[in-house]
Amino acid sequence: MSTRECDVAVIGTGTAGMGAYRAAKVHTDKVLLIEGGVYGTTCARIGCMPSKLLIAAANAAHAAQDAKGFGVHVHGIGVDGAEVMQRVQRERDRFVGFVVDAVNSWPEADRIRGHAAFESPGVLRLDDGTRVEAKRIVIATGSRTFIPPPLAALAAERVDTNATVFEWPDLPESVAVFGAGVIALELGQALHRLGVRVRLFGRSQRIGGITDPEVAEQAREALGSELPLALSSAVDTVVDEGEGFAVRWRDADGNAHEERFARVLAATGRIPNIDGLGLEHVGLPLNAQGLPDHDPATGRCGDSAIFLAGDVTGELPLLHEAADEGRIAGDNAGRYPDVQTQRRRAPLAVVFCEPQIAAVGQNFQALCQSGQAFAVGQVDLSGQGRARVMRENVGVLRVYAAHDTGRLLGAEMVGPRAEHLAHLLAWSVQAGLTIDEMLAMPFYHPVVEEGLRTALRDCAHALHRGPKPVAGCSEYGPGD
């Protein structure tokens, strides 16, 4: 057994941990990076990149099958599941390799392998007995899939998650997907488009994280026309029958159903990786999630020398947010006690299903609960010119602006090219642009962005009419 001393210890080498390490190293050379698992971020190994590889294959198959809508008839379309998965894994490994190479390029003396646990606020014990004495500690241990009760009764190795899907040697005949969030929609639709029989189970009518009821309705209609959805369902049992699983559930009307699937996939939210971390020894009160509360603008927990960053916080489990949180926490851990508040970027989230879903800035629910007077502008994308040319004319875009200033506050949307529209909107929110200032920007023709101009014009009219109740806000009472 040995003792290591450092100014900053970073637990976890994912996106947040890597960002924290780099930021802390600006202030001190005595930074120790601790990893109990494999190198390679969630994004590269089991998240963003492999999922987009699977989606790309799925969209290629769908485009071929849907080409007849343009008068183009493609014959002999086939999906080789093994080849699809081989490409996913090959390209995934390439992305992971870049991350591993980056970590391995850092000084070996700065890296240590092992699972860490707190003995006291400034002391960690690794599972090999190594003692780490750190003046400041950044917790960046990430998160994992939450397994709900019906699936928790099964053997752990029989339940697939995003951590196992991309290891499949071939595509299964059928999959029951549990959840209606980002991962569920992306993987569920991708598998469906690749010829896998899929049904997606959700406990409510919420889908893709959308809070605006009009956008959510359009999303349910658009996605449900292609992908079998069992929303507002109550799953009674999931029985492992060896060769597959029998899922028994009741729909929103109480009608009983049963269907058999080759695999079950849990995409039911994330929980922080804090098991065995010994947070009860950090000397801080813990919240319902078992974590000390922290300031997102500094990463700091209370008045301690402990910082949180990345998915472990459970707030915004997105790569760019984890990178920012790691940078902020690492910088403040490195410069401690000169902790500085740092500005966060405008919120931006995208679901890469088709049609795409996106949310920017303050969402509809947050604005309703804030009590702030805001106006809504929208465009129905079913008649949008470029979208119709591409046969992607489905969805709605809703933008929100403050009545007192006219500034853009946020937006929610489902529709074509939402990932690009969302970036324009996020930049506008962060820049503090008003609706009139956005309308003064150039819009080319014919592009989907012209739909954004229509929504902005509608919002400008609503602003000029003055404050009035916003339809749909009543379902979100203040503070709900």
Side-chain angles (χ1 to χ4, degrees):
M1 292 189 296
S2 62
T3 298
R4 298 284 301 272
E5 296 181 356
C6 61
D7 289 335
V8 179
V10 180
I11 310 173
T13 59
T15 298
M18 294 173 69
Y21 170 82
R22 293 189 186 100
K25 285 286 283 187
V26 172
H27 303 284
T28 174
D29 284 332
K30 297 180 179 180
V31 182
L32 187 61
L33 197 55
I34 304 170
E35 177 56 66
V38 295
Y39 293 148
T41 64
T42 293
C43 172
R45 191 178 292 279
I46 60 173
C48 321
M49 302 315 293
S51 66
K52 302 312 166 287
L53 287 162
L54 190 69
I55 290 168
N59 288 347
H62 181 75
Q65 294 160 359
D66 196 50
K68 60 182 178 294
F70 296 97
V72 178
H73 299 275
V74 182
H75 302 286
I77 301 170
V79 174
D80 187 316
E83 287 187 17
V84 168
M85 296 309 298
Q86 286 167 12
R87 179 177 184 268
V88 168
Q89 292 156 9
R90 183 175 63 250
E91 292 297 316
R92 181 273 315 271
D93 291 346
R94 179 172 174 271
F95 291 121
V96 171
F98 294 145
V99 178
V100 174
D101 289 346
V103 177
N104 285 331
S105 71
W106 296 335
E108 187 173 352
D110 290 0
R111 295 179 277 120
I112 189 169
R113 304 302 292 267
H115 293 277
F118 282 89
E119 286 191 347
S120 66
V123 178
L124 300 169
R125 179 78 68 176
L126 272 58
D127 47 6
D128 67 354
T130 301
R131 193 169 187 265
V132 176
E133 297 179 355
K135 296 176 182 177
R136 286 89 71 188
I137 297 173
V138 178
I139 301 170
T141 49
S143 65
R144 65 184 184 278
T145 302
F146 166 71
I147 308 298
L151 299 181
L154 303 174
E157 65 274 12
R158 294 285 284 160
V159 179
D160 281 301
T161 68
N162 65 307
T164 62
V165 163
F166 305 115
E167 300 301 329
W168 290 349
D170 201 346
L171 295 173
E173 178 272 332
S174 55
V175 178
V177 178
F178 294 87
V182 177
I183 296 172
L185 291 179
E186 290 187 350
L187 296 185
Q189 187 185 58
L191 292 169
H192 171 77
R193 288 186 165 190
L194 288 166
V196 178
R197 176 169 56 84
V198 173
R199 187 175 297 277
L200 188 148
F201 296 90
R203 293 183 300 175
S204 70
Q205 289 292 307
R206 291 287 291 270
I207 187 168
I210 301 169
T211 68
D212 189 311
E214 294 199 29
V215 180
E217 182 179 359
Q218 291 261 2
R220 288 191 294 268
E221 182 178 338
L223 291 166
S225 66
E226 174 188 343
L227 178 65
L229 303 177
L231 301 178
S232 295
S233 63
V235 177
D236 295 320
T237 59
V238 180
V239 180
D240 190 342
E241 298 181 334
E243 293 298 315
F245 302 85
V247 179
R248 300 183 180 95
W249 79 95
R250 287 169 285 115
D251 60 27
D253 296 323
N255 300 312
H257 303 270
E258 180 174 338
E259 191 171 356
R260 283 168 170 74
F261 301 90
R263 289 184 178 270
V264 292
L265 169 62
T268 42
R270 311 283 292 178
I271 56 175
N273 288 327
I274 55 174
D275 297 353
L277 193 55
L279 290 178
E280 65 273 16
H281 301 301
V282 300
L284 294 168
L286 305 180
N287 58 28
Q289 287 71 46
L291 290 162
D293 290 327
H294 78 294
D295 180 358
T298 64
R300 189 182 185 187
C301 298
D303 59 357
S304 74
I306 295 172
F307 299 79
L308 288 181
D311 290 3
V312 70
T313 69
E315 292 181 347
L316 295 167
L318 302 166
L319 178 136
H320 66 279
E321 295 288 353
D324 282 352
E325 290 170 2
R327 172 182 52 79
I328 292 169
D331 178 66
N332 279 322
R335 66 168 61 249
Y336 184 88
D338 180 26
V339 175
Q340 297 183 0
T341 296
Q342 301 189 33
R343 182 186 180 191
R344 297 298 296 268
R345 303 179 209 235
L348 169 62
V350 179
V351 185
F352 290 87
C353 54
E354 291 292 341
Q356 293 181 340
I357 293 169
V360 169
Q362 298 181 65
N363 64 28
F364 185 82
Q365 178 177 352
L367 287 170
C368 291
Q369 293 176 347
S370 72
Q372 179 174 3
F374 69 99
V376 179
Q378 75 175 54
V379 58
D380 181 344
L381 295 167
S382 64
Q384 205 281 321
R386 181 65 185 279
R388 191 168 183 84
V389 165
M390 299 183 296
R391 298 187 70 247
E392 297 177 11
N393 53 313
V394 62
V396 63
L397 163 61
R398 302 246 292 173
V399 297
Y400 319 122
H403 264 294
D404 56 353
T405 64
R407 286 179 55 179
L408 179 70
L409 299 173
E412 292 188 64
M413 71 198 83
V414 57
R417 309 296 193 266
E419 60 184 293
H420 304 300
L421 290 170
H423 275 83
L424 295 179
L425 288 161
W427 294 355
S428 298
V429 168
Q430 187 157 318
L433 297 184
T434 67
I435 297 299
D436 287 342
E437 287 171 336
M438 294 175 69
L439 282 168
M441 297 294 183
F443 289 85
Y444 201 75
H445 173 78
V447 292
V448 174
E449 284 76 6
E450 288 178 294
L452 169 57
R453 182 175 59 188
T454 302
L456 294 173
R457 285 172 173 168
D458 188 44
C459 192
H461 292 152
L463 288 170
H464 295 154
R465 289 194 299 268
K468 65 177 184 177
V470 175
C473 251
S474 58
E475 72 175 83
Y476 299 117
D480 282 357

